[in-house]
Amino acid sequence: MNHIVEAIGNTPLVKLNNVTDGIKGTILAKVEYFNPGNSVKDRMALKMIEDAEKAGLLKPGGTIIEGTSGNTGMGLALAAIAKGYKCIFTMSDKQSKEKQDILRAVGAEVIVCPTNVAPDDPRSYYSVARKLNQEIPNSIYPNQYDNPSNSAAHYETTGPELWQQTEGKITHYAAGVGTGGTICGTAKYLKEQNPNIVTVGLDTYGSVFKKYKETGIFDENEIYPYKTEGIGEDILPKNVNFDLIDLFIKVSDKDAALMTRRLAKEEGLFVGWSCGSAVYGALEYAKEHLKEDDTMVIVLPDHGTRYLGKIYNDDWMREQGWL
Ligand SMILES: Cc1ncc(COP(=O)(O)O)c(C=O)c1O
């Protein structure tokens, strides 16, 4: 390969064997930590940059500014190295310290912002990113939440990969929902191949998605702090197309953390926290609805190294009262 970004995509699909006790049908995990930035977000980061270049929005020597929970930043940083851009990332202070250090290691400037402020508060990581974009000449703010290149990356890569890897046998598709790019881009492709495929979105307690899907109401009472990183939102990103997500299941921080640790110990999959959310929630659905011949794919977005100080740290787990 000419550059590490060419290694993005074509990640393996791996059968889950031990956490699936009592479930009919086949459960497969799309293991996205095989991407060079160790997460699913490499796919859309590269596409957002390439589409911005094609549209003439990003010019040589430019600066990429983004609000990120870490993984998108990593993908953008790799793309920026390949193409010679600078990166400035804003991140909320609830994200792992590891994620900040990793982004600095690949040459990005990182600005940490408070988590518990409203999205339109000038201190929020969304607002700080927007302001920097206005102030810094020749900068772009890809805005992964509303940028259609995000979903398009998954429509073009993740969807076709799953269709080919399962030889068209996929019947259910489950993924955590943050910006919505992963689930909706992939689901759009899969439902075009087979409209009967069911898509399950995993949400957190403290997020607006599930209630919005079920009632059409954006309920501010649903919003409160939670600890799981990367999924659930206090906004409705344009990349979330509710017509493509058949149902949402909420998973608690604790259930997600414990399932993530089981994936490492029982499946050999040393994955990130939202992977536990995805598997816990998807298996809840699978227990009730999956039949013998069904094939469910669950997306595992990132790698366990980013959570060594949290869910893989027994002291931290005990402090939460989770061990
Ligand atoms: C760890 C992790 N899990 C899940 C997601 C959700 O993916 P998406 O933004 O495509 O909905 C993200 C996105 O940032 C993430 O970083």
Side-chain angles (χ1 to χ4, degrees):
M1 290 174 183
N2 293 306
H3 195 282
I4 194 66
V5 293
E6 290 179 10
I8 294 172
N10 289 313
T11 53
L13 192 59
V14 179
K15 184 166 181 272
L16 296 185
N17 298 295
N18 296 315
V19 299
T20 48
D21 255 4
I23 287 168
K24 296 193 193 93
T26 304
I27 309 286
L28 306 171
K30 183 74 167 155
V31 188
E32 287 294 301
Y33 69 56
F34 278 90
N35 285 300
N38 291 151
S39 96
V40 66
K41 308 293 278 197
D42 284 2
R43 296 174 185 266
M44 53 72 98
L46 183 63
K47 173 111 180 119
M48 289 197 302
I49 298 306
E50 289 182 343
D51 287 355
E53 286 174 331
K54 277 185 212 141
L57 300 169
L58 188 55
K59 299 187 187 71
T63 303
I64 301 160
I65 299 167
E66 182 66 307
T68 162
S69 68
N71 288 331
T72 300
M74 185 64 174
L76 289 171
L78 298 187
I81 292 168
K83 293 161 179 290
Y85 301 116
K86 282 186 291 236
C87 288
I88 305 176
F89 300 132
T90 62
M91 189 187 284
S92 65
D93 57 10
K94 82 170 206 187
Q95 308 298 334
S96 324
K97 178 75 167 53
E98 288 93 327
K99 286 187 183 168
Q100 298 168 28
D101 292 339
I102 289 167
L103 293 181
R104 292 191 177 110
V106 286
E109 186 182 328
V110 178
I111 300 171
V112 181
C113 306
T115 305
N116 296 332
V117 295
D120 56 358
D121 186 295
R123 293 165 297 170
S124 79
Y125 78 104
Y126 311 100
S127 304
V128 175
R130 232 174 263 123
K131 182 157 172 278
L132 287 170
N133 176 223
Q134 284 156 10
E135 287 172 2
I136 298 174
N138 193 14
S139 68
I140 63 154
Y141 172 39
N143 184 9
Q144 57 172 328
Y145 295 94
D146 299 333
N147 188 329
S149 305
N150 176 358
S151 295
H154 297 285
Y155 179 81
E156 289 170 12
T157 68
T158 322
E161 283 173 34
L162 291 183
W163 188 248
Q164 284 154 20
Q165 287 174 317
T166 63
E167 295 167 338
K169 293 193 187 99
I170 179 170
T171 55
H172 295 77
Y173 169 67
V177 188
T179 66
T182 306
I183 192 162
C184 294
T186 309
K188 182 166 186 277
Y189 180 88
L190 292 174
K191 282 175 183 274
E192 281 174 8
Q193 313 313 307
N194 174 2
N196 296 325
I197 291 174
V198 176
T199 54
V200 181
L202 289 316
D203 195 12
T204 51
Y205 291 92
S207 159
V208 295
F209 291 141
K210 185 172 193 286
K211 177 143 188 194
Y212 189 82
K213 169 75 187 176
E214 289 168 6
T215 64
I217 296 166
F218 182 90
D219 184 354
E220 297 206 339
N221 294 320
E222 291 284 301
I223 302 171
Y224 49 83
Y226 58 89
K227 297 201 165 99
T228 312
E229 298 174 30
I231 63 168
E233 291 297 341
D234 52 4
I235 54 171
L236 294 177
K238 290 207 177 85
N239 275 302
V240 182
N241 177 345
F242 286 89
D243 294 338
L244 291 169
I245 304 171
D246 295 303
L247 71 146
F248 282 88
I249 295 176
K250 283 188 187 246
V251 179
S252 72
D253 294 333
K254 177 184 175 182
D255 288 338
L258 293 174
M259 178 54 88
T260 311
R261 290 166 61 108
R262 285 190 65 194
L263 288 168
K265 287 214 170 79
E266 297 177 36
E267 304 285 350
L269 288 164
F270 182 50
V271 289
W273 196 343
S274 70
C275 303
S277 316
V279 172
Y280 187 94
L283 293 187
E284 247 184 32
Y285 178 89
K287 261 175 220 150
E288 275 192 41
H289 299 280
L290 243 59
K291 297 188 210 65
E292 213 67 62
D293 290 340
D294 286 343
T295 299
M296 173 184 255
V297 172
I298 309 173
V299 177
L300 304 187
D302 70 352
H303 196 256
T305 40
R306 286 171 193 173
Y307 309 88
L308 282 173
K310 292 190 177 176
I311 58 168
Y312 289 113
N313 179 305
D314 287 355
D315 294 332
W316 186 90
M317 285 292 283
R318 266 182 221 107
E319 277 163 32
Q320 313 305 310
W322 295 348
L323 274 190

